[in-house]
Amino acid sequence: MEASDKLQERIQTYHDRSFMKAAMAASALAAYADGEVSLVERYTIDDVLANLTSLKIHDPKKAVQILQDFVRELEKEPEAAEQVLRGKLERIADDKEAAEIVARIALKVSHADGHFNYAEKLQFGRICETLKLRPEDIYPDWQAHWSPGQ
């Protein structure tokens, strides 16, 4: 393997690792939006890991461990952890395709329990903003029934 091939492989690995961490960060933020991570949200994240081609190159156990670490940090120090996780999202924000995939993962996790409550909508909007996306471009009904009482 030539040096340029090795460099390209390393660049791709870094990009994929950044994408995986961004996907787990968005999943953690979306799942924890209402203050807890439900079992159905965890199953949804596992399903994403099993079925998203971009994540298949990673060991799912490692991705789950990263997710658990992110959730644990959100539970301990929500504000500080949220800033760190937003940094993971910012790293891929300039890659529109990757950003859209990560936003769709967050949306899927937010809808996992069949409800899209106010806290989840708010967090989804923040995730999209961090990814330099408009939430309504990812989910046209994002503002439907927008009220804190939901």
Side-chain angles (χ1 to χ4, degrees):
M1 181 180 276
E2 290 184 31
S4 63
D5 291 338
K6 286 183 182 180
L7 177 60
Q8 186 62 33
E9 185 178 304
R10 289 186 70 205
I11 290 169
Q12 185 62 34
T13 301
Y14 174 77
H15 178 269
D16 291 340
R17 187 171 49 234
S18 294
F19 176 81
M20 188 262 295
K21 285 186 177 183
M24 293 302 94
S27 296
L29 289 167
Y32 195 72
D34 57 5
E36 66 179 5
V37 178
S38 70
L39 191 55
V40 72
E41 288 167 332
R42 287 301 310 261
Y43 284 138
T44 299
I45 295 166
D46 289 345
D47 183 56
V48 166
L49 288 169
N51 293 305
L52 189 62
T53 306
S54 304
L55 293 173
K56 283 187 179 181
I57 65 166
H58 298 285
D59 178 359
K61 291 177 185 173
K62 185 174 182 173
V64 167
Q65 184 60 52
I66 289 169
L67 174 72
Q68 289 173 335
D69 291 345
F70 289 167
V71 170
R72 200 173 4 258
E73 289 302 314
L74 282 167
E75 291 170 342
K76 278 195 321 193
E77 295 207 33
E79 290 177 21
E82 190 163 330
Q83 290 300 322
V84 169
L85 297 182
R86 291 208 184 288
K88 308 276 185 220
L89 299 178
E90 288 170 351
R91 289 184 186 147
I92 66 150
D94 290 331
D95 181 340
K96 187 172 170 63
E97 183 179 353
E100 286 179 356
I101 292 169
V102 168
R104 291 184 191 286
I105 291 169
L107 181 63
K108 186 173 182 171
V109 172
S110 295
H111 278 164
D113 62 2
H115 298 93
F116 194 35
N117 66 35
Y118 179 76
E120 291 166 332
K121 287 179 185 180
L122 190 60
Q123 186 63 270
F124 177 70
R126 288 183 192 139
I127 290 167
C128 287
E129 180 181 313
T130 303
L131 292 169
K132 301 178 184 178
L133 301 170
R134 292 170 14 115
E136 56 272 14
D137 290 343
I138 303 298
Y139 183 60
D141 291 337
W142 175 65
Q143 291 190 354
H145 312 294
W146 185 257
S147 69
Q150 281 190 306

